[in-house]
């Protein structure tokens, strides 16, 4: 076990650094990104209308956050697996989910004023690195099955 840790010391250090970057993004979200929905979802939002939003600033704030989380996630996936096919597939998935989630987000925001719970969960997938938590075990499982 100790030999494996020594063997993969560089991977472990880089992975820890990437996780710390995720923590920093989360810690400084109020200073780094325009998102009036942070305060809205911290309150009792079930009965409140959506706050006044500058759609362009919100889009670019969410885009920057999604890009940072995606870039760190893709780097983590590459560091862990060292497989270009997995990296390319992950990149495609992140781009695909970007289009789907951002489209849903702004449609809900614009046309469904009572869709605050739906907006809450779609936004959660945009601003949090949830996909990497799904992809890493899935790719690991796939690699283990290919070895058999």
């Amino acid at each position: 076990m100790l030999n494996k840790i020594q063997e993969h010391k560089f991977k472990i250090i880089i992975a820890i650094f990437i996780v710390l970057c995720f923590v920093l993004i989360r810690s400084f979200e109020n200073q780094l990104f325009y998102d009036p929905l942070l305060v809205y979802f911290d309150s009792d939002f079930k009965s409140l209308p959506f706050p006044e939003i500058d759609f362009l600033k919100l889009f670019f704030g969410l885009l920057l956050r999604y890009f940072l989380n995606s870039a760190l996630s893709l780097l983590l996936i590459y560091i862990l697996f060292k497989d270009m096919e997995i990296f390319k597939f992950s990149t495609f998935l992140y781009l695909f989910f970007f289009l789907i989630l951002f489209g849903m987000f702004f449609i809900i925001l614009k046309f469904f004023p009572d869709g605050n719970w739906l907006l809450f969960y779609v936004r959660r997938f945009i601003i949090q690195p949830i996909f990497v938590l799904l992809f890493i075990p899935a790719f690991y499982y796939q690699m283990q099955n290919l070895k058999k």
Side-chain angles (χ1 to χ4, degrees):
M1 174 74 171
L2 218 48
N3 288 340
K4 283 206 178 231
I5 291 175
Q6 287 291 337
E7 184 180 314
H8 298 291
K9 182 173 41 176
F10 181 71
K11 273 187 183 182
I12 294 169
I13 291 170
I14 297 296
I16 290 171
F17 176 75
I18 292 169
V19 170
L20 288 175
C21 288
F22 284 132
V23 170
L24 286 173
I25 289 171
R26 174 73 177 184
S27 298
F28 294 106
E29 65 188 355
N30 290 326
Q31 294 84 4
L32 293 173
F33 312 107
Y34 169 79
D35 193 353
L37 296 172
L38 286 170
V39 175
Y40 174 75
F41 286 123
D42 280 341
S43 66
D44 185 22
F45 64 90
K46 294 173 219 73
S47 59
L48 295 175
F50 294 137
E52 195 65 32
I53 293 173
D54 180 344
F55 284 96
L56 192 60
K57 281 177 73 174
L58 180 62
F59 173 77
F60 283 114
L62 291 174
L63 177 67
L64 176 62
R65 189 159 182 183
Y66 188 83
F67 173 77
L68 290 173
N69 284 331
S70 298
L72 288 170
S73 298
L74 289 168
L75 181 61
L76 183 60
I77 288 169
Y78 181 75
I79 291 296
L80 293 176
F81 297 105
K82 297 279 190 206
D83 186 329
M84 212 52 192
E85 291 302 314
I86 288 176
F87 179 80
K88 288 177 187 176
F89 182 65
S90 300
T91 303
F92 170 78
L93 287 175
Y94 274 102
L95 290 172
F96 175 76
F97 286 126
F98 166 77
L99 295 174
I100 298 298
L101 290 170
F102 272 72
M104 287 174 57
F105 181 82
F106 285 103
I107 287 171
I108 294 166
L109 201 56
K110 189 73 173 164
F111 298 111
F112 296 96
D114 295 331
N116 48 18
W117 276 110
L118 187 58
L119 185 70
F120 175 82
Y121 288 112
V122 170
R123 182 179 157 277
R124 182 68 52 210
F125 275 93
I126 292 172
I127 68 169
Q128 301 298 329
I130 296 171
F131 292 125
V132 76
L133 296 175
L134 299 172
F135 293 167
I136 289 174
F139 293 143
Y140 179 77
Y141 179 77
Q142 180 183 0
M143 289 182 73
Q144 293 303 312
N145 277 345
L146 290 176
K147 288 180 182 177
K148 290 181 184 179

